[in-house]
Amino acid sequence: MSNPDPALIEDYRQSHLGKGGQYDANLAAQPFDNYMAAWERRHLEEILWSIAPGGVGRALDFACGTGRITETVATFARESIGVDVSPTMLEIARSKCPATRFELVDLTSADPDVGQFDLITSFRFFGNAQDALRDAALDAIVRRLAANGRFILNSHRNPRALYARLQQLTGAADSGMDLHLPKLRALLGKHGLRIVLLRPIGAWMFRDRLMLDTPADSARARRFEALFGGSWLAPIAPDVIVVASHA
Ligand SMILES: C[S@@+](CC[C@H](N)C(=O)[O-])C[C@H]1O[C@@H](n2cnc3c(N)ncnc32)[C@H](O)[C@@H]1O
């Protein structure tokens, strides 16, 4: 599982300042992250087709990084904006998504008039960020989410996942993981959001060997994801996509 750099853990805002050049390659090189990234994209596309078959008006990708998720969102939106605090991550994003406007801005401390959004996404941010930053980010997001808008995020560092529990037993676990589903649900609720859809990923995954033998695009992965894709398995899945709306 990918962890934030412990030296920078005090403020997640600092975590990716110089990482733009390596981020995509690092993600692809880690079997866990590579698998989750592929399924995050697949689910996100499917969810967007189901909730907005005709596309959405305005979309914001918060903490967009290198544009991994922005690329998908941009094809569904008439106007898309990506924001991040890392210039090197944004440089890669700009090269991938020419139709998207990218802003180097921290919406948790600055308040530019970027308007309201029908869709806001934020991937691989909430699982890593500290509680105070999670709260500040949700404040910024909720204020900009249109009345009927949807907020889609993922949480990929679930300490209650089967996979993480086994790593805890063998001492290989990352002790910094704290965003289990009840905590995420409470956090969203505190900011006036309610969960309307959950898509667990990798709930079947309990040891590395099984994951290494199951490439994300294999028939076996599709079979496993279909079998273990019920929302009731989200509490024990290592990664989950969450769709939320105003409560
Ligand atoms: C692990 S990356 C995820 C990038 C992208 N969303 C993805 O899923 O590939 C987390 C990103 O959060 C950004 N970030 C951290 N704090 C932020 C903040 N306050 N506002 C915007 N971006 C922030 C980092 O710079 C980094 O690019």
mmCIF file of all heavy atoms in Angstrom, residues 12-13 16 23 62-65 68-69 84-86 89 106 108 123-125 128 133, ligand 1:
data_model
loop_
_atom_site.group_PDB
_atom_site.id
_atom_site.type_symbol
_atom_site.label_atom_id
_atom_site.label_comp_id
_atom_site.label_asym_id
_atom_site.label_seq_id
_atom_site.Cartn_x
_atom_site.Cartn_y
_atom_site.Cartn_z
ATOM 1 N N TYR A 12 -0.043 17.002 5.020
ATOM 2 C CA TYR A 12 -0.117 16.286 3.745
ATOM 3 C C TYR A 12 -0.023 17.228 2.539
ATOM 4 O O TYR A 12 0.295 16.791 1.439
ATOM 5 C CB TYR A 12 -1.404 15.450 3.697
ATOM 6 C CG TYR A 12 -1.433 14.508 2.531
ATOM 7 C CD1 TYR A 12 -0.499 13.483 2.415
ATOM 8 C CD2 TYR A 12 -2.377 14.648 1.518
ATOM 9 C CE1 TYR A 12 -0.502 12.632 1.327
ATOM 10 C CE2 TYR A 12 -2.396 13.794 0.433
ATOM 11 C CZ TYR A 12 -1.455 12.791 0.343
ATOM 12 O OH TYR A 12 -1.449 11.949 -0.736
ATOM 13 N N ARG A 13 -0.256 18.518 2.773
ATOM 14 C CA ARG A 13 -0.124 19.492 1.680
ATOM 15 C C ARG A 13 1.285 19.447 1.073
ATOM 16 O O ARG A 13 1.468 19.768 -0.089
ATOM 17 C CB ARG A 13 -0.390 20.907 2.185
ATOM 18 C CG ARG A 13 -1.825 21.165 2.614
ATOM 19 C CD ARG A 13 -1.930 22.550 3.212
ATOM 20 N NE ARG A 13 -3.254 22.894 3.653
ATOM 21 C CZ ARG A 13 -3.734 22.626 4.871
ATOM 22 N NH1 ARG A 13 -2.995 21.988 5.754
ATOM 23 N NH2 ARG A 13 -4.959 22.989 5.187
ATOM 24 N N HIS A 16 3.522 15.992 -1.951
ATOM 25 C CA HIS A 16 3.789 15.695 -3.362
ATOM 26 C C HIS A 16 4.411 16.868 -4.115
ATOM 27 O O HIS A 16 4.391 16.889 -5.340
ATOM 28 C CB HIS A 16 2.489 15.268 -4.065
ATOM 29 C CG HIS A 16 2.039 13.883 -3.688
ATOM 30 N ND1 HIS A 16 1.544 13.579 -2.444
ATOM 31 C CD2 HIS A 16 2.035 12.716 -4.388
ATOM 32 C CE1 HIS A 16 1.249 12.289 -2.390
ATOM 33 N NE2 HIS A 16 1.537 11.743 -3.547
ATOM 34 N N TYR A 23 5.234 10.247 -10.029
ATOM 35 C CA TYR A 23 3.987 9.748 -9.426
ATOM 36 C C TYR A 23 3.334 8.631 -10.258
ATOM 37 O O TYR A 23 3.041 7.549 -9.731
ATOM 38 C CB TYR A 23 2.997 10.904 -9.226
ATOM 39 C CG TYR A 23 1.688 10.475 -8.614
ATOM 40 C CD1 TYR A 23 1.567 10.246 -7.245
ATOM 41 C CD2 TYR A 23 0.555 10.277 -9.412
ATOM 42 C CE1 TYR A 23 0.366 9.840 -6.680
ATOM 43 C CE2 TYR A 23 -0.653 9.871 -8.857
ATOM 44 C CZ TYR A 23 -0.743 9.656 -7.501
ATOM 45 O OH TYR A 23 -1.934 9.245 -6.940
ATOM 46 N N PHE A 62 -10.593 17.890 -7.005
ATOM 47 C CA PHE A 62 -9.846 18.451 -5.868
ATOM 48 C C PHE A 62 -8.652 17.549 -5.555
ATOM 49 O O PHE A 62 -8.810 16.346 -5.433
ATOM 50 C CB PHE A 62 -10.776 18.563 -4.645
ATOM 51 C CG PHE A 62 -10.070 19.081 -3.418
ATOM 52 C CD1 PHE A 62 -9.945 20.444 -3.206
ATOM 53 C CD2 PHE A 62 -9.495 18.213 -2.502
ATOM 54 C CE1 PHE A 62 -9.266 20.929 -2.092
ATOM 55 C CE2 PHE A 62 -8.814 18.686 -1.392
ATOM 56 C CZ PHE A 62 -8.711 20.050 -1.186
ATOM 57 N N ALA A 63 -7.468 18.161 -5.410
ATOM 58 C CA ALA A 63 -6.220 17.401 -5.215
ATOM 59 C C ALA A 63 -6.006 16.498 -6.427
ATOM 60 O O ALA A 63 -5.792 15.293 -6.299
ATOM 61 C CB ALA A 63 -6.247 16.604 -3.904
ATOM 62 N N CYS A 64 -6.056 17.107 -7.586
ATOM 63 C CA CYS A 64 -6.074 16.365 -8.858
ATOM 64 C C CYS A 64 -4.756 15.683 -9.178
ATOM 65 O O CYS A 64 -4.714 14.784 -10.019
ATOM 66 C CB CYS A 64 -6.453 17.298 -9.996
ATOM 67 S SG CYS A 64 -5.238 18.624 -10.241
ATOM 68 N N GLY A 65 -3.655 16.123 -8.551
ATOM 69 C CA GLY A 65 -2.367 15.487 -8.818
ATOM 70 C C GLY A 65 -1.996 15.567 -10.284
ATOM 71 O O GLY A 65 -2.094 16.622 -10.921
ATOM 72 N N ARG A 68 -4.802 11.987 -13.087
ATOM 73 C CA ARG A 68 -5.212 10.591 -13.276
ATOM 74 C C ARG A 68 -6.733 10.470 -13.340
ATOM 75 O O ARG A 68 -7.273 9.832 -14.243
ATOM 76 C CB ARG A 68 -4.666 9.771 -12.091
ATOM 77 C CG ARG A 68 -4.774 8.296 -12.184
ATOM 78 C CD ARG A 68 -4.110 7.676 -10.962
ATOM 79 N NE ARG A 68 -4.882 7.902 -9.744
ATOM 80 C CZ ARG A 68 -5.872 7.117 -9.314
ATOM 81 N NH1 ARG A 68 -6.196 6.041 -10.002
ATOM 82 N NH2 ARG A 68 -6.509 7.391 -8.193
ATOM 83 N N ILE A 69 -7.419 11.111 -12.424
ATOM 84 C CA ILE A 69 -8.885 11.056 -12.374
ATOM 85 C C ILE A 69 -9.492 12.172 -13.241
ATOM 86 O O ILE A 69 -10.525 11.981 -13.893
ATOM 87 C CB ILE A 69 -9.344 11.164 -10.903
ATOM 88 C CG1 ILE A 69 -8.906 9.918 -10.110
ATOM 89 C CG2 ILE A 69 -10.843 11.388 -10.786
ATOM 90 C CD1 ILE A 69 -9.444 8.581 -10.604
ATOM 91 N N ASP A 84 -4.678 21.722 -7.275
ATOM 92 C CA ASP A 84 -3.704 20.990 -6.460
ATOM 93 C C ASP A 84 -2.700 22.015 -5.932
ATOM 94 O O ASP A 84 -2.627 23.140 -6.429
ATOM 95 C CB ASP A 84 -2.979 19.918 -7.296
ATOM 96 C CG ASP A 84 -2.381 18.826 -6.433
ATOM 97 O OD1 ASP A 84 -1.335 19.058 -5.784
ATOM 98 O OD2 ASP A 84 -2.968 17.719 -6.372
ATOM 99 N N VAL A 85 -1.947 21.601 -4.909
ATOM 100 C CA VAL A 85 -0.951 22.512 -4.331
ATOM 101 C C VAL A 85 0.462 22.193 -4.833
ATOM 102 O O VAL A 85 1.410 22.863 -4.439
ATOM 103 C CB VAL A 85 -0.977 22.467 -2.784
ATOM 104 C CG1 VAL A 85 -2.273 23.077 -2.268
ATOM 105 C CG2 VAL A 85 -0.802 21.043 -2.255
ATOM 106 N N SER A 86 0.589 21.153 -5.665
ATOM 107 C CA SER A 86 1.922 20.760 -6.137
ATOM 108 C C SER A 86 2.121 21.195 -7.589
ATOM 109 O O SER A 86 1.463 20.677 -8.502
ATOM 110 C CB SER A 86 2.083 19.239 -6.027
ATOM 111 O OG SER A 86 3.180 18.818 -6.814
ATOM 112 N N MET A 89 3.084 18.170 -9.902
ATOM 113 C CA MET A 89 1.958 17.278 -10.233
ATOM 114 C C MET A 89 1.102 17.962 -11.310
ATOM 115 O O MET A 89 0.693 17.340 -12.298
ATOM 116 C CB MET A 89 1.107 16.985 -8.994
ATOM 117 C CG MET A 89 1.825 16.259 -7.866
ATOM 118 S SD MET A 89 2.211 14.525 -8.184
ATOM 119 C CE MET A 89 0.728 13.719 -7.569
ATOM 120 N N ASP A 106 -4.705 26.278 -2.966
ATOM 121 C CA ASP A 106 -5.154 25.490 -1.823
ATOM 122 C C ASP A 106 -6.513 26.042 -1.384
ATOM 123 O O ASP A 106 -6.573 27.086 -0.716
ATOM 124 C CB ASP A 106 -4.127 25.598 -0.689
ATOM 125 C CG ASP A 106 -4.490 24.689 0.487
ATOM 126 O OD1 ASP A 106 -5.619 24.138 0.485
ATOM 127 O OD2 ASP A 106 -3.663 24.534 1.387
ATOM 128 N N THR A 108 -8.333 25.160 0.820
ATOM 129 C CA THR A 108 -8.560 25.133 2.271
ATOM 130 C C THR A 108 -8.061 26.417 2.936
ATOM 131 O O THR A 108 -8.345 26.660 4.102
ATOM 132 C CB THR A 108 -7.870 23.919 2.948
ATOM 133 O OG1 THR A 108 -6.451 24.083 2.895
ATOM 134 C CG2 THR A 108 -8.264 22.615 2.292
ATOM 135 N N PHE A 123 -9.665 11.901 -5.268
ATOM 136 C CA PHE A 123 -9.166 10.533 -5.130
ATOM 137 C C PHE A 123 -7.785 10.527 -4.478
ATOM 138 O O PHE A 123 -6.961 11.394 -4.710
ATOM 139 C CB PHE A 123 -9.110 9.853 -6.502
ATOM 140 C CG PHE A 123 -10.440 9.260 -6.897
ATOM 141 C CD1 PHE A 123 -11.559 10.067 -7.040
ATOM 142 C CD2 PHE A 123 -10.569 7.894 -7.100
ATOM 143 C CE1 PHE A 123 -12.795 9.523 -7.379
ATOM 144 C CE2 PHE A 123 -11.800 7.343 -7.439
ATOM 145 C CZ PHE A 123 -12.918 8.152 -7.583
ATOM 146 N N ARG A 124 -7.574 9.497 -3.675
ATOM 147 C CA ARG A 124 -6.279 9.280 -2.999
ATOM 148 C C ARG A 124 -5.852 10.496 -2.182
ATOM 149 O O ARG A 124 -4.678 10.795 -2.075
ATOM 150 C CB ARG A 124 -5.205 8.895 -4.018
ATOM 151 C CG ARG A 124 -5.535 7.560 -4.602
ATOM 152 C CD ARG A 124 -4.479 6.963 -5.462
ATOM 153 N NE ARG A 124 -4.913 5.614 -5.749
ATOM 154 C CZ ARG A 124 -4.203 4.525 -5.538
ATOM 155 N NH1 ARG A 124 -2.989 4.607 -5.065
ATOM 156 N NH2 ARG A 124 -4.685 3.342 -5.803
ATOM 157 N N PHE A 125 -6.816 11.192 -1.655
ATOM 158 C CA PHE A 125 -6.515 12.343 -0.814
ATOM 159 C C PHE A 125 -6.971 12.076 0.622
ATOM 160 O O PHE A 125 -6.183 12.160 1.564
ATOM 161 C CB PHE A 125 -7.194 13.602 -1.381
ATOM 162 C CG PHE A 125 -7.091 14.780 -0.461
ATOM 163 C CD1 PHE A 125 -5.929 15.540 -0.412
ATOM 164 C CD2 PHE A 125 -8.136 15.120 0.389
ATOM 165 C CE1 PHE A 125 -5.814 16.616 0.460
ATOM 166 C CE2 PHE A 125 -8.034 16.190 1.267
ATOM 167 C CZ PHE A 125 -6.868 16.932 1.298
ATOM 168 N N ASN A 128 -5.106 9.700 2.983
ATOM 169 C CA ASN A 128 -3.756 10.125 3.360
ATOM 170 C C ASN A 128 -3.728 11.344 4.277
ATOM 171 O O ASN A 128 -2.799 11.503 5.071
ATOM 172 C CB ASN A 128 -2.959 10.492 2.099
ATOM 173 C CG ASN A 128 -2.602 9.280 1.256
ATOM 174 O OD1 ASN A 128 -2.318 8.216 1.789
ATOM 175 N ND2 ASN A 128 -2.629 9.442 -0.049
ATOM 176 N N LEU A 133 -6.910 18.519 7.999
ATOM 177 C CA LEU A 133 -6.928 18.801 6.556
ATOM 178 C C LEU A 133 -8.179 18.193 5.913
ATOM 179 O O LEU A 133 -8.784 18.784 5.008
ATOM 180 C CB LEU A 133 -5.639 18.274 5.902
ATOM 181 C CG LEU A 133 -5.500 18.464 4.388
ATOM 182 C CD1 LEU A 133 -5.657 19.930 3.974
ATOM 183 C CD2 LEU A 133 -4.135 17.935 3.908
HETATM 184 C C1 LIG B 1 -1.813 10.825 -3.770
HETATM 185 S S1 LIG B 1 -2.035 12.313 -4.692
HETATM 186 C C2 LIG B 1 -3.536 11.958 -5.554
HETATM 187 C C3 LIG B 1 -3.607 12.641 -6.903
HETATM 188 C C4 LIG B 1 -4.829 12.260 -7.743
HETATM 189 N N1 LIG B 1 -6.064 12.710 -7.146
HETATM 190 C C5 LIG B 1 -4.890 10.765 -7.964
HETATM 191 O O1 LIG B 1 -5.838 10.117 -7.488
HETATM 192 O O2 LIG B 1 -4.000 10.225 -8.613
HETATM 193 C C6 LIG B 1 -2.601 13.480 -3.483
HETATM 194 C C7 LIG B 1 -2.559 14.920 -3.984
HETATM 195 O O3 LIG B 1 -3.143 15.779 -2.997
HETATM 196 C C8 LIG B 1 -2.522 17.031 -3.155
HETATM 197 N N2 LIG B 1 -2.882 17.903 -2.037
HETATM 198 C C9 LIG B 1 -2.509 17.811 -0.743
HETATM 199 N N3 LIG B 1 -3.079 18.782 -0.019
HETATM 200 C C10 LIG B 1 -3.846 19.521 -0.886
HETATM 201 C C11 LIG B 1 -4.690 20.655 -0.761
HETATM 202 N N4 LIG B 1 -4.855 21.263 0.429
HETATM 203 N N5 LIG B 1 -5.313 21.146 -1.858
HETATM 204 C C12 LIG B 1 -5.138 20.550 -3.057
HETATM 205 N N6 LIG B 1 -4.345 19.460 -3.245
HETATM 206 C C13 LIG B 1 -3.715 18.962 -2.179
HETATM 207 C C14 LIG B 1 -1.058 16.675 -3.284
HETATM 208 O O4 LIG B 1 -0.280 17.729 -3.784
HETATM 209 C C15 LIG B 1 -1.163 15.487 -4.239
HETATM 210 O O5 LIG B 1 -1.042 15.878 -5.580
#
